[in-house]
Amino acid sequence: MIIKLENVNYIYNPNTPFEKKALDNISFGIEEGDFIGLIGHTGSGKSTLVQHLNGLMKPTSGKVIVDGIDINSSSANLKEIRQKVGLVFQYPEHQLFEETVYKDIAFGPKNLGLGEDEVHIRVKKAMELVELNFDYLKDRSPFELSGGQKRRVAIAGVLAMKPKVLILDEPTAGLDPRGRDEILGRLQTLYQEGITIILVSHSMEDIARLVDRIIVMHRGKMAMEDKTREIFKKAEKLEELGLGTPQITSFMRQYKIKGNQVEDAILTVEEAKDELINYLRRRGNA
Ligand code: ADP
């Protein structure tokens, strides 16, 4: 198990009038190679939770164990934990600052004290992983690039640290459909490369399309946790938590309620297409 949380609580501003319990008794485990979706209404605790996963925040009580290391123990090397668990914040391109794409992506590995050759290999590989052309873009200013490209430079900077786990907080926010598809396509490839991914998103479409398992947060508590299809079968429960299902999932549900014998736990347009063709064939043969 690459990440394990045991009864984690986190309180902002304890013992003041502004005290706020943001995480309430959270326990779960993440296996290597998992692709997890973290969803929940604004204020449900998602950002607070992900910052615990790479040691940026420490629990008020409870345990966070990353790759066998308890982040609260005095011997825990937080730099090592942050290298193992890469966190891509919302709008990560706001943190680009170097004059070239190369220097920006090389910043983290250089800080690890790696030699020029290793830094070069890592920058090149990270750019390949996010499909940025190394020769064409390495000497360009990151500020001249498109929104989707800038964000991929920022993600490459995290990947160049060779993290075992990659956490992304709303990675497609504010991008046009093309930029969104670029990022989501890259996540799929990274997952196939074996990196463990945790995706925080408001887009149920993105979540349904990509992740294997979902954790639903509600008012600091873990309200649901299951395989993606199982979670989206529970439309009423999600609605109670202020969340929805992908449009195509609700469409198929409604279609079934109207008396059509279709499978309703459908997650993507492609699945819906196959199911509808099959259904119409079955009906035609009956
Ligand atoms: P989400 O990422 O799901 O929107 P957050 O983790 O940001 O949720 O917030 C969880 C709760 O903690 C919210 O009620 C929020 O108002 C509160 N909170 C977040 N950051 C702070 C802070 N720095 N000080 C006090 N309360 C905070």
Side-chain angles (χ1 to χ4, degrees):
M1 199 165 283
I2 187 85
I3 292 180
K4 192 160 189 262
L5 269 70
E6 286 173 17
N7 310 104
V8 168
N9 291 287
Y10 186 80
I11 302 172
Y12 284 104
N13 309 311
N15 309 316
T16 75
F18 306 106
E19 180 168 309
K20 171 83 205 172
K21 191 164 202 180
L23 295 179
D24 191 349
N25 203 27
I26 307 285
S27 301
F28 63 77
I30 295 177
E31 298 287 350
E32 260 187 282
D34 275 353
F35 197 156
I36 307 280
L38 181 60
I39 62 176
H41 208 267
T42 305
S44 59
K46 302 180 300 296
S47 302
T48 309
L49 179 60
V50 294
Q51 291 180 74
H52 277 75
L53 305 185
N54 82 339
L56 269 182
M57 294 177 81
K58 287 187 171 186
T60 307
S61 66
K63 270 190 181 178
V64 177
I65 298 163
V66 177
D67 208 12
I69 306 165
D70 180 343
I71 67 162
N72 260 337
S73 77
S74 52
S75 59
N77 177 345
L78 289 179
K79 205 171 156 190
E80 191 188 333
I81 287 169
R82 281 175 208 147
Q83 186 267 313
K84 281 182 199 273
V85 183
L87 180 53
V88 179
F89 286 101
Q90 282 186 34
Y91 298 98
E93 60 277 17
H94 293 171
Q95 284 158 31
L96 299 175
F97 64 99
E98 292 280 8
E99 71 247 32
T100 69
V101 167
Y102 185 98
K103 282 187 181 169
D104 228 306
I105 299 171
F107 182 79
K110 270 195 177 154
N111 260 351
L112 289 179
L114 300 170
E116 272 305 321
D117 290 352
E118 174 66 13
V119 170
H120 185 88
I121 292 168
R122 286 193 178 205
V123 173
K124 203 158 181 251
K125 171 78 180 159
M127 286 182 73
E128 267 167 35
L129 283 172
V130 294
E131 257 181 5
L132 291 170
N133 187 304
F134 179 77
D135 292 324
Y136 180 63
L137 291 171
K138 69 179 185 347
D139 297 322
R140 299 264 299 270
S141 159
F143 303 101
E144 292 168 10
L145 308 180
S146 72
Q149 284 176 324
K150 271 189 211 157
R151 197 160 294 181
R152 280 184 285 151
V153 171
I155 295 173
V158 174
L159 290 174
M161 302 293 281
K162 286 206 181 161
K164 288 192 167 183
V165 182
L166 181 66
I167 306 177
L168 303 108
D169 194 354
E170 297 286 355
T172 59
L175 294 180
D176 60 18
R178 187 169 159 199
R180 273 175 61 134
D181 284 348
E182 283 169 5
I183 300 280
L184 295 177
R186 292 303 87 213
L187 295 189
Q188 190 84 55
T189 315
L190 290 169
Y191 171 56
Q192 283 155 5
E193 292 254 327
I195 299 184
T196 308
I197 305 182
I198 301 171
L199 172 65
V200 182
S201 178
H202 278 109
S203 163
M204 296 304 147
E205 269 72 22
D206 294 355
I207 291 278
R209 201 168 109 191
L210 292 167
V211 312
D212 301 325
R213 203 151 64 87
I214 296 180
I215 292 172
V216 185
M217 294 294 293
H218 185 65
R219 297 193 177 144
K221 290 195 163 74
M222 201 166 82
M224 299 166 86
E225 191 217 357
D226 211 334
K227 291 202 173 301
T228 306
R229 205 175 293 280
E230 297 306 313
I231 294 283
F232 285 128
K233 273 186 192 169
K234 299 182 180 117
E236 280 99 3
K237 172 102 200 216
L238 285 169
E239 241 164 66
E240 275 170 34
L241 304 176
L243 300 167
T245 53
Q247 271 185 0
I248 194 66
T249 312
S250 9
F251 168 80
M252 291 298 276
R253 236 168 90 87
Q254 291 304 321
Y255 192 62
K256 185 169 186 178
I257 290 168
K258 289 202 172 122
N260 299 288
Q261 302 301 312
V262 288
E263 171 62 56
D264 58 350
I266 291 289
L267 297 178
T268 63
V269 173
E270 290 73 32
E271 279 184 15
K273 187 186 86 183
D274 292 346
E275 178 59 16
L276 287 172
I277 290 173
N278 277 334
Y279 170 59
L280 294 174
R281 281 208 186 111
R282 289 199 300 272
R283 219 169 58 167
N285 291 337

